[in-house]
Amino acid sequence: MEKIQTQGVAIPRLGFGTFRMPGGGCQPVVESALGLGFRHIDTAAMYENEDAVGAAIASSGVKREDLFVTTKVWHDRLGRGAVRKAFDTSLSKLKLDYVDMYMVHWPSADMDLPAVLEEMMTIKADGGTRAIGVCNFNMKMIRQAVEEVRAPIAALQIEYHPFMSQARMLDYVRGKGIPLTAYAPLAQGRAAHDETLQKIGDKHGVSAAQIAIAWLLDQPDVIAIPKAQKESSQRSNLDALKVKLDDEDRSAIAALPKDRRYVKPPFAPDWAA
Ligand SMILES: NC(=O)c1ccc[n+]([C@@H]2O[C@H](COP(=O)([O-])OP(=O)(O)OC[C@H]3O[C@@H](n4cnc5c(N)ncnc54)[C@H](OP(=O)(O)O)[C@@H]3O)[C@@H](O)[C@H]2O)c1
């Protein structure tokens, strides 16, 4: 699978999301994903499945260096000293010696961003993580992280799918050599039922969900991390790597509404800033 090189790491462009699979039930699902060939797993302390993801990795037989594992620190753990504590807990749950990417899951209104990033950089310098990244940052925050703090941000993870534009953010991160990891790439499953995507899928003999993934991966510097509990969907998402869109498909997807943000927790930052 194609990988994106960034800040000394190589990230597989198609990853596997694990949100909304808390507890042990997540283990067989991740085992199945690893068995089918996913090599990039996205988890977070908040998903309450790091133990299960770690157990799946241990039983998979996949060599550690062939895997890309991301986990994240929740926004109530961004105080001084708290990030390191949260990180140690995550690593011990995952039963790994290191992760490949450690991310701020959501910013918090009262965080001291330079201090948070300094702590993440120390974890990286100590070998706990190979790279650091941020999720759900608005333009002001990502600019501060990159231009003021000069943190080695290896990826920005944000909501991105055919019903939402991230043109402004993509433009910025591309200019800085930072890949954009698209979360909720299937618009939390909605893409699978979209008529336009289905029509394009019919033309290529594939599903609407596969078209959504192909559309994201058609764009340079974009990584997608669909979650799929069903084995058939996991297989089908991997097969989306083979789908090649044409200009007619791209125009039809460009004409879809682009203002649909589905992940809107009360603690989200001001997206316009
Ligand atoms: N950083 C953040 O704040 C943040 C926020 C949200 C998500 N994420 C990450 O991004 C990952 C993906 O986002 P998400 O899980 O919210 O949504 P998603 O990947 O857009 O959609 C997942 C849904 O799509 C369904 N699906 C998957 N493949 C399909 C296929 N081929 N055909 C039809 N339906 C299919 C799944 O069904 P089944 O599971 O039932 O098979 C599930 O209901 C998360 O798991 C998480 O790792 C990060």
Side-chain angles (χ1 to χ4, degrees):
M1 186 189 303
E2 200 192 328
K3 294 177 180 173
I4 295 188
Q5 309 285 336
T6 163
Q7 298 288 352
V9 294
I11 313 180
R13 291 195 68 197
L14 184 62
F16 188 75
T18 64
F19 185 30
R20 276 181 247 95
M21 286 194 291
C26 179
Q27 185 181 336
V29 177
V30 174
E31 281 170 355
S32 154
L34 290 170
L36 289 172
F38 280 97
R39 291 292 177 265
H40 168 180
I41 308 293
D42 183 86
T43 181
M46 184 276 229
Y47 300 168
E48 295 179 350
N49 60 18
E50 288 169 312
D51 294 282
V53 168
I57 290 171
S59 74
S60 70
V62 178
K63 280 200 233 136
R64 177 65 188 90
E65 61 268 33
D66 293 338
L67 273 180
F68 193 92
V69 181
T70 295
T71 193
K72 317 183 190 93
V73 55
W74 193 234
H75 63 83
D76 63 356
R77 296 284 184 279
L78 298 180
R80 212 168 266 279
V83 180
R84 163 67 75 168
K85 253 196 190 158
F87 176 78
D88 290 345
T89 305
S90 285
L91 201 61
S92 88
K93 284 188 177 170
L94 283 160
K95 293 198 179 60
L96 295 175
D97 298 327
Y98 64 91
V99 294
D100 298 280
M101 175 84 80
Y102 196 48
M103 304 188 106
V104 175
H105 201 154
W106 284 88
S108 74
D110 59 354
M111 70 182 174
D112 175 347
L113 184 57
V116 169
L117 293 172
E118 293 294 342
E119 209 163 324
M120 309 257 305
M121 286 189 266
T122 305
I123 294 168
K124 176 172 173 333
D126 293 348
T129 185
R130 294 175 63 225
I132 62 169
V134 293
C135 310
N136 299 303
F137 271 28
N138 61 21
M139 185 62 85
K140 195 173 159 204
M141 291 163 176
I142 186 78
R143 289 187 81 123
Q144 189 188 356
V146 173
E147 295 171 34
E148 282 175 38
V149 183
R150 299 195 165 276
I153 302 297
L156 168 69
Q157 187 178 128
I158 45 176
E159 179 175 350
Y160 188 32
H161 44 67
F163 317 113
M164 182 173 180
S165 170
Q166 286 291 6
R168 193 168 79 110
M169 207 51 120
L170 250 180
D171 202 44
Y172 177 77
V173 291
R174 269 196 191 126
K176 299 291 177 193
I178 300 170
L180 188 156
T181 303
Y183 79 61
L186 300 173
Q188 299 178 323
R190 293 171 184 86
H193 312 290
D194 180 78
E195 261 180 40
T196 303
L197 298 180
Q198 188 56 62
K199 243 189 223 163
I200 301 171
D202 290 346
K203 184 174 114 184
H204 293 273
V206 301
S207 71
Q210 287 175 308
I211 296 296
I213 294 171
W215 177 77
L216 288 164
L217 299 183
D218 187 43
Q219 305 169 48
D221 312 307
V222 175
I223 293 160
I225 49 168
K227 170 253 176 189
Q229 203 145 345
K230 287 198 204 87
E231 201 212 5
S232 57
S233 293
Q234 297 176 355
R235 221 179 263 281
S236 141
N237 294 348
L238 274 173
D239 282 344
L241 288 166
K242 298 180 207 142
V243 179
K244 296 272 170 275
L245 301 183
D246 59 32
D247 285 342
E248 185 188 44
D249 307 332
R250 292 185 192 102
S251 310
I253 298 172
L256 288 170
K258 295 287 177 207
D259 58 352
R260 308 289 154 90
R261 184 186 290 281
Y262 298 113
V263 181
K264 294 187 278 196
F267 48 78
D270 173 7
W271 295 116

